[in-house]
Amino acid sequence: MEAFREHQGSVAALPYVNVDTDQIIPKQFLKRVERTGFGQFLFFNWRFLDDNRENPDFPLNQPHMKGASILISDHNFGCGSSREHAAWALKDYGFQVVIAPSFGDIFYNNSFKNGLLPLRMPETLVQSWLEKGQSHSFQLHVNLQEQTVTDESGAIHTFEIDPYWKNMLVYGLDEIGVTLQYEDYIRAYEKAE
Amino acid sequence: MGKTIIEKIWDRHMVYQEEGKPDLMYIDLHLVHEVTSPQAFEGLRLAGRNVRRPDLTYATMDHNVPTKDRESITDIIAKKQMDVLVDNCKDFGVELAGLDSPNNGIVHIIGPELGLTQPGKTIVCGDSHTSTHGAFGALAFGIGTSEVEHVLAAQSLWQNRPQTMEVRIDGRLSPGVSAKDIILALIAKYGVNFGSGHVVEYRGEAIRGLTMEERMTICNMSIEGGARAGLISPDQVTFDYLEGRPNVEQGEAYQEQVEAWKELATDADATFDSTLVLDASDVKPMITWGTNPGQGVAIDGEVPSPEDGKTGAEQRGIQQSLDYMALTPGTKMTDISIEHVFLGSCTNARISDLREAAKYLKGKKVAPGVRALVVPGSMQVKRQAEDEGLAEVFIDAGFDWRAAGCSMCLGMNPDQVPEGERCASTSNRNFEGRQGKGARTHLMSPIMAAAAAVHGRFVDVREVEAQEHA
Ligand code: SF4
């Protein structure tokens, strides 16, 4: 697992509800057998027009959102299909953090495993960032160790995170390697069955 | 105090528990398919790891597979993904129901068919509709590829104890109304998020009255309500279904097994963290109009307007969907016409689904201008339908009769809905572009889809049946 401690970056605002993983990475790109190279296909059907030009109406194509590394979206982000390709695509495109009021459960788990930090933050705060992000570029500073997000005014917002996943991310641990240290317990369970 | 089936299964699978950590849970069955596994096997290889329990792992290919000319696959990238699965299964000693296997089919259809799915098991698969297996009283949930790798290597997973939710379906279904309508009505009523963070147990009179195949349809769509998993306490219906299947005990040993399974059901005095209720007798045939499975109405209803949304987010969601679906508020659902019909998917492509649709279609014809496709959920279902003469009914009606696979449920293979066209579909997701870029999907039951095929528009099967039998 890739380590994550702190991150400062600019925001891309995607003010849609229920963004499902079919939208994040459409099915035509799931046939690859690698983990890499999915960023170019991120939000493909929204990002590009039929002739493969960029869709000028899609939020992420707005000049002030280019180069953003923090994605903010609305409720139930990443719902639907379990495809981890969604987390790979976001990460490969350059996102380090995704902020939303709520997430699809499987996507939420998948993100951690790829060093992409999913943050649940209060709806009113997210709404205000989504609105601001429509027309302005702005920065946020995320500190995982402290569990805080600091905005440009210096206001500090805290977030909750499972201590287990926090630890995994902060130290960039190999989860399977960690689990295999419990081999004795796994074997004991299998024996008892 | 008594325990729910969820707690019973959870506690029995605890490998290791420590304050401040998720629980390390043992996994009894790991189902694998071609799309979400290649990177996991590659990860094992890079780390020099093995599959810990190939005997608890079972693979199939379903998402990519063409449903005709399966022998000559033209999509080379899809072909490669299937070949990679064949190689991985060979290298790591995992049993595979490949394209040439009589057991091949959609992962969530073949697990129960083969008796791999059993009460009390923990079951995972790199696929969100793994909840289907919960119909047997198993704790079954979808996982991502990193977790697939984790289970391959360690046969266990770190999981936070879920919240428990009771979804009680009282009453009885009216004629023309099916299990699909129950789950669509539930999600329409409570939203695509109602089960978030929860494992749901479906209970109540209506659920007890359902067959195993109908129960699978309900559990299948738990993820569409945001739940981590959905299950049903096993009963005689469950035990009868499994008896005699491969991979279950036979004879007397089976009866002993059944006695043990009976202990799993939720105790009478158990409590849940939350409860939702739905009366099955109020449920009408349902149909979705929008781009998430919660955007559904009864067939006698109308396309809603953004003002009907209770929250700002919901209003924005309705507008987004109306634009994509090219629908005007106030349009009667029965005035919407279609160009495609898809009868298939892990939600509704079992033999009983095909029987329902065929019963309706017998002696009728698909409307001019409608392309209709029926894709059995497994090769076993396909053979059975052919033996029972159902295939003939479909073909006579003008349906295309195909081999098993996910097919037009997600259109990873050549079966797609063209841009801007409308499809009546028995699958579980109506997301934008799900069945093809720009495709417009309406979810419904098999009999409603069959009726739509014949009429070229959505119709209320209750009225049609009443007229035709008058
Ligand atoms: S039929 Fe559809 S929902 Fe079911 S496993 Fe296949 S793609 Fe997924």
Side-chain angles (χ1 to χ4, degrees):
Chain A
M1 188 175 292
E2 210 174 305
F4 186 114
R5 291 192 179 107
E6 275 184 70
H7 178 76
Q8 163 112 19
S10 66
V11 162
L14 188 64
Y16 304 159
V17 287
N18 300 319
V19 173
D20 56 74
T21 53
D22 274 72
Q23 304 318 319
I24 299 174
I25 181 87
K27 42 85 187 316
Q28 61 268 37
F29 309 113
L30 304 185
K31 293 174 189 168
R32 298 161 62 90
V33 294
E34 302 85 20
R35 262 175 206 264
T36 49
F38 287 98
Q40 53 188 316
F41 308 124
L42 180 74
F43 296 120
F44 191 85
N45 293 348
W46 283 345
R47 232 169 95 204
F48 299 101
L49 299 169
D50 284 343
D51 55 5
N52 287 335
R53 272 182 311 127
E54 279 194 358
N55 173 3
D57 296 330
F58 184 60
L60 265 57
N61 289 335
Q62 307 312 305
H64 72 277
M65 292 194 206
K66 294 273 168 169
S69 57
I70 300 177
L71 180 67
I72 305 188
S73 190
D74 213 328
H75 270 293
N76 209 18
F77 185 84
C79 61
S81 157
S82 65
R83 56 187 76 165
E84 195 160 318
H85 312 68
W88 300 335
L90 286 162
K91 184 79 192 196
D92 191 49
Y93 182 85
F95 288 115
Q96 307 291 326
V97 181
V98 189
I99 300 176
S102 60
F103 290 92
D105 280 336
I106 307 177
F107 173 81
Y108 186 79
N109 279 338
N110 287 343
S111 299
F112 281 113
K113 320 232 160 170
N114 293 283
L116 174 70
L117 180 65
L119 293 183
R120 291 191 189 108
M121 308 238 14
E123 176 162 6
T124 41
L125 181 64
V126 171
Q127 280 307 334
S128 70
W129 283 340
L130 280 176
E131 245 153 69
K132 186 172 169 193
Q134 295 310 296
S135 45
H136 295 74
S137 169
F138 68 96
Q139 301 248 325
L140 292 174
H141 183 90
V142 178
N143 186 324
L144 177 57
Q145 213 118 25
E146 308 284 326
Q147 296 181 217
T148 57
V149 178
T150 310
D151 64 25
E152 285 173 339
S153 73
I156 297 175
H157 313 275
T158 57
F159 58 82
E160 295 291 323
I161 194 157
D162 187 294
Y164 173 80
W165 289 118
K166 177 178 169 181
N167 194 51
M168 283 282 175
L169 265 184
V170 166
Y171 296 104
L173 300 177
D174 162 27
E175 198 197 1
I176 298 177
V178 171
T179 308
L180 292 178
Q181 292 170 11
Y182 293 81
E183 172 67 24
D184 290 351
Y185 292 95
I186 301 174
R187 205 173 311 134
Y189 179 92
E190 286 176 331
K191 237 179 160 168
E193 273 302 284
Chain B
M1 202 185 66
K3 281 186 182 180
T4 65
I5 181 172
I6 303 160
E7 294 159 314
K8 290 184 195 182
I9 299 177
W10 196 274
D11 294 345
R12 285 181 196 180
H13 287 83
M14 194 82 73
V15 171
Y16 180 81
Q17 194 173 28
E18 186 186 318
E19 181 73 22
K21 270 195 178 147
D23 298 333
L24 187 61
M25 284 188 72
Y26 200 75
I27 303 301
D28 296 323
L29 175 63
H30 185 191
L31 299 167
V32 171
H33 68 81
E34 79 277 22
V35 176
T36 56
S37 67
Q39 295 86 353
F41 282 112
E42 192 54 24
L44 287 187
R45 240 180 232 115
L46 290 173
R49 290 173 179 142
N50 261 322
V51 174
R52 183 185 177 88
R53 294 293 301 266
D55 57 322
L56 303 181
T57 313
Y58 192 91
T60 183
M61 41 183 84
D62 50 8
H63 283 67
N64 260 334
V65 306
T67 53
K68 58 179 182 189
D69 307 326
R70 295 189 2 148
E71 297 72 32
S72 54
I73 300 169
T74 48
D75 180 340
I76 46 170
I77 317 177
K79 173 87 168 62
K80 178 168 177 208
Q81 205 170 46
M82 291 183 251
D83 290 345
V84 165
L85 181 63
V86 172
D87 291 346
N88 283 334
C89 288
K90 209 178 284 161
D91 290 356
F92 289 95
V94 172
E95 193 175 340
L96 167 70
L99 285 185
D100 48 0
S101 162
N103 294 330
N104 177 260
I106 304 174
V107 62
H108 310 309
I109 303 236
I110 67 169
E113 256 176 16
L114 297 172
L116 290 164
T117 304
Q118 293 174 14
K121 278 192 179 179
T122 46
I123 303 176
V124 297
C125 172
D127 191 282
S128 57
H129 291 101
T130 307
S131 58
T132 313
H133 308 265
F136 292 79
L139 186 62
F141 52 94
I143 55 177
T145 298
S146 296
E147 289 170 314
V148 169
E149 184 180 338
H150 191 282
V151 176
L152 288 173
Q155 203 58 38
S156 54
L157 270 182
W158 296 96
Q159 291 283 305
N160 284 311
R161 208 180 179 86
Q163 303 273 99
T164 60
M165 178 184 282
E166 167 186 44
V167 170
R168 212 176 61 234
I169 321 274
D170 298 322
R172 272 164 194 276
L173 284 177
S174 324
V177 184
S178 70
K180 181 67 161 287
D181 300 306
I182 294 185
I183 190 68
L184 285 175
L186 186 76
I187 301 167
K189 182 168 178 187
Y190 294 108
V192 290
N193 236 338
F194 74 78
S196 187
H198 288 75
V199 173
V200 170
E201 181 182 355
Y202 300 97
R203 292 154 63 80
E205 189 193 350
I207 296 293
R208 287 291 141 222
L210 298 178
T211 64
M212 276 322 296
E213 302 205 339
E214 293 171 318
R215 292 179 188 184
M216 285 188 247
T217 299
I218 301 220
C219 289
N220 174 271
M221 290 189 70
S222 302
I223 182 81
E224 272 64 55
R228 281 172 70 181
L231 48 59
I232 293 172
S233 286
D235 59 14
Q236 200 54 45
V237 177
T238 324
F239 310 141
D240 290 347
Y241 177 96
L242 284 174
E243 188 165 10
R245 294 196 181 256
N247 298 299
V248 296
E249 303 281 356
Q250 307 293 331
E252 230 162 87
Y254 185 69
Q255 291 319 314
E256 271 168 47
Q257 176 70 269
V258 165
E259 289 313 309
W261 285 341
K262 283 182 180 164
E263 304 289 313
L264 285 166
T266 292
D267 297 328
D269 56 343
T271 54
F272 291 82
D273 295 316
S274 53
T275 295
L276 296 180
V277 185
L278 186 79
D279 192 334
S281 32
D282 294 343
V283 175
K284 300 175 184 174
M286 295 290 296
I287 187 159
T288 63
W289 56 267
T291 56
N292 74 55
Q295 292 177 320
V297 291
I299 180 68
D300 56 9
E302 295 173 351
V303 175
S305 112
E307 285 99 74
D308 297 333
K310 288 186 268 308
T311 60
E314 210 178 302
Q315 292 177 355
R316 286 192 298 280
I318 294 176
Q319 190 58 56
Q320 244 168 260
S321 299
L322 288 175
D323 293 345
Y324 181 84
M325 296 296 287
L327 289 172
T328 322
T331 308
K332 279 198 187 136
M333 291 312 289
T334 48
D335 284 344
I336 300 174
S337 54
I338 49 146
E339 290 86 25
H340 302 266
V341 173
F342 172 61
L343 239 154
S345 89
C346 58
T347 317
N348 280 128
R350 284 170 284 268
I351 191 71
S352 57
D353 299 311
L354 303 194
R355 282 187 195 133
E356 273 291 296
K359 197 168 99 194
Y360 176 86
L361 287 169
K362 200 165 174 100
K364 299 194 180 77
K365 290 270 179 242
V366 170
V370 173
R371 175 177 76 135
L373 202 64
V374 49
V375 182
S378 71
M379 294 311 272
Q380 249 191 69
V381 171
K382 178 172 189 274
R383 285 191 302 274
Q384 195 176 348
E386 286 166 354
D387 290 347
E388 291 183 16
L390 307 180
E392 231 176 286
V393 174
F394 284 113
I395 294 166
D396 286 348
F399 271 78
D400 222 340
W401 177 251
R402 296 291 181 87
C406 294
S407 177
M408 214 192 259
C409 172
L410 91 164
M412 266 187 88
N413 74 350
D415 308 334
Q416 298 202 1
V417 176
E419 187 151 7
E421 298 192 7
R422 229 174 261 292
C423 181
S425 179
T426 64
S427 53
N428 47 44
R429 286 192 174 135
N430 51 348
F431 295 153
E432 284 187 26
R434 175 80 179 177
Q435 296 189 292
K437 191 178 180 207
R440 298 177 180 138
T441 302
H442 297 267
L443 304 176
M444 65 200 72
S445 70
I447 188 165
M448 285 283 288
V454 168
H455 293 266
R457 61 178 178 88
F458 302 138
V459 292
D460 190 336
V461 281
R462 296 169 306 174
E463 287 172 19
V464 174
E465 287 214 311
Q467 279 167 15
E468 285 165 3
H469 293 143

